[in-house]
Amino acid sequence: MNIILLGPPGAGKGTQARKLVDERNMVQLSTGDMLRAARTSGTEMGKKVAAVMDRGDLVTDEIVIGLIREQLESDQGGGGYIFDGFPRTLAQADALGRLLVDMGENLDCVIEMQVDDDALVARITARATCGDCGEVYNDLTKPIPADQKCTNCGSSNFQRRADDNEDSLRTRLLAYYKQTSPLIGYYYAKGDLKSVNGLASMDDVADSISEALA
Ligand code: AMP
């Protein structure tokens, strides 16, 4: 099964993708994580996208489609792919459709995670991640443990993203509404879209996603 998690920054796509990886042996393909990894390892591409990402704008279709193509060609399919933060433009959606057809694969479902903008600002500015295993924390709903050790892997390498601040978030939201939200209509028209309430608790959102995939 191949699915897309679609929603604005802070909707909980990464958190739900990680649950699906654990529970269904699926492979998470997050273009945001791939781009951050390219920056950390200091590749030419990583240097090129750094300022764009920090500002909150989208990097070029060519770069992200190339990253996804590489991953799909390395064929780690298992229980299928979760596309997290990709596609974000109509050109990316078309490219993904073609890549899947070339592999003889289908897109089974697009899950739209609905949240309101005020909740996003609160969530994002409170967000932290374990730099070693990717476990997501939030100062309001799931604070970093008092012993400063990740509940999942025991690491103390907690990180906050450079673009998780109000200025970048405003640009990221604008990019979402201008460039990404048209995908809701695109996938609705194709009959692939299911919407869930992304403001419910993490477990309730996971249950809604399971129902949508049943
Ligand atoms: P994310 O971790 O998904 O919130 O992505 C962080 C940043 O990486 C975004 O604000 C963009 O600058 C860039 N990015 C991630 N995925 C894409 C994509 N599919 N298309 C364009 N830019 C992307």
Side-chain angles (χ1 to χ4, degrees), residues 31-32 35-36 53 57-59 64 85-86 88 92 161:
T31 40
L35 292 165
R36 278 184 289 279
M53 290 177 74
D57 285 322
L58 296 187
V59 310
V64 288
F86 180 92
R88 263 174 154 99
Q92 292 176 24
R161 282 171 44 171

Side-chain angles (χ1 to χ4, degrees), residues 3-212:
I3 67 170
I4 294 173
L5 294 181
L6 185 63
K13 302 185 294 292
T15 303
Q16 294 299 329
R18 288 170 53 79
K19 273 180 95 69
L20 290 165
V21 169
D22 290 344
E23 289 162 14
R24 295 177 182 242
N25 190 33
M26 296 176 79
V27 175
Q28 176 187 10
L29 294 184
S30 156
T31 40
D33 286 349
M34 294 173 208
L35 292 165
R36 278 184 289 279
R39 289 180 64 168
T40 306
S41 56
T43 64
E44 278 312 305
M45 184 271 277
K47 288 180 197 153
K48 204 161 124 188
V49 298
V52 178
M53 290 177 74
D54 286 348
R55 220 168 42 231
D57 285 322
L58 296 187
V59 310
T60 64
D61 288 336
E62 193 190 349
I63 288 177
V64 288
I65 292 167
L67 286 170
I68 289 288
R69 182 183 296 116
E70 244 171 58
Q71 294 294 318
L72 292 179
E73 282 172 0
S74 71
D75 190 22
Q76 338 150 40
Y81 292 104
I82 308 157
F83 297 95
D84 160 14
F86 180 92
R88 263 174 154 99
T89 64
L90 289 166
Q92 292 176 24
D94 281 337
L96 177 61
R98 283 194 299 273
L99 285 169
L100 290 173
V101 167
D102 287 350
M103 293 166 59
E105 293 272 346
N106 284 323
L107 182 61
D108 296 282
C109 191
V110 178
I111 307 274
E112 180 208 358
M113 300 181 65
Q114 296 179 326
V115 279
D116 77 58
D117 295 344
D118 287 343
L120 294 179
V121 178
R123 271 191 188 184
I124 285 216
T125 50
R127 180 159 76 172
T129 313
C130 172
D132 289 349
C133 75
E135 187 75 6
V136 180
Y137 293 86
N138 184 291
D139 301 336
L140 308 172
T141 54
K142 186 183 166 192
I144 292 169
D147 65 0
Q148 295 289 310
K149 288 197 170 26
C150 173
T151 47
N152 187 49
C153 74
S155 157
S156 298
N157 179 21
F158 296 106
Q159 297 177 349
R160 292 189 192 262
R161 282 171 44 171
D163 59 349
D164 275 353
N165 61 71
E166 279 203 55
D167 276 351
S168 298
L169 177 58
R170 207 162 297 126
T171 310
R172 286 155 73 198
L173 272 179
L174 213 59
Y176 178 77
Y177 287 116
K178 277 172 79 172
Q179 290 162 279
T180 308
S181 65
L183 298 184
I184 296 169
Y186 175 96
Y187 286 119
Y188 176 79
K190 281 175 167 276
D192 298 328
L193 190 78
K194 299 260 172 69
S195 300
V196 301
N197 172 15
L199 281 179
S201 72
M202 192 172 89
D203 289 337
D204 286 348
V205 177
D207 287 346
S208 308
I209 291 178
S210 288
E211 272 169 38

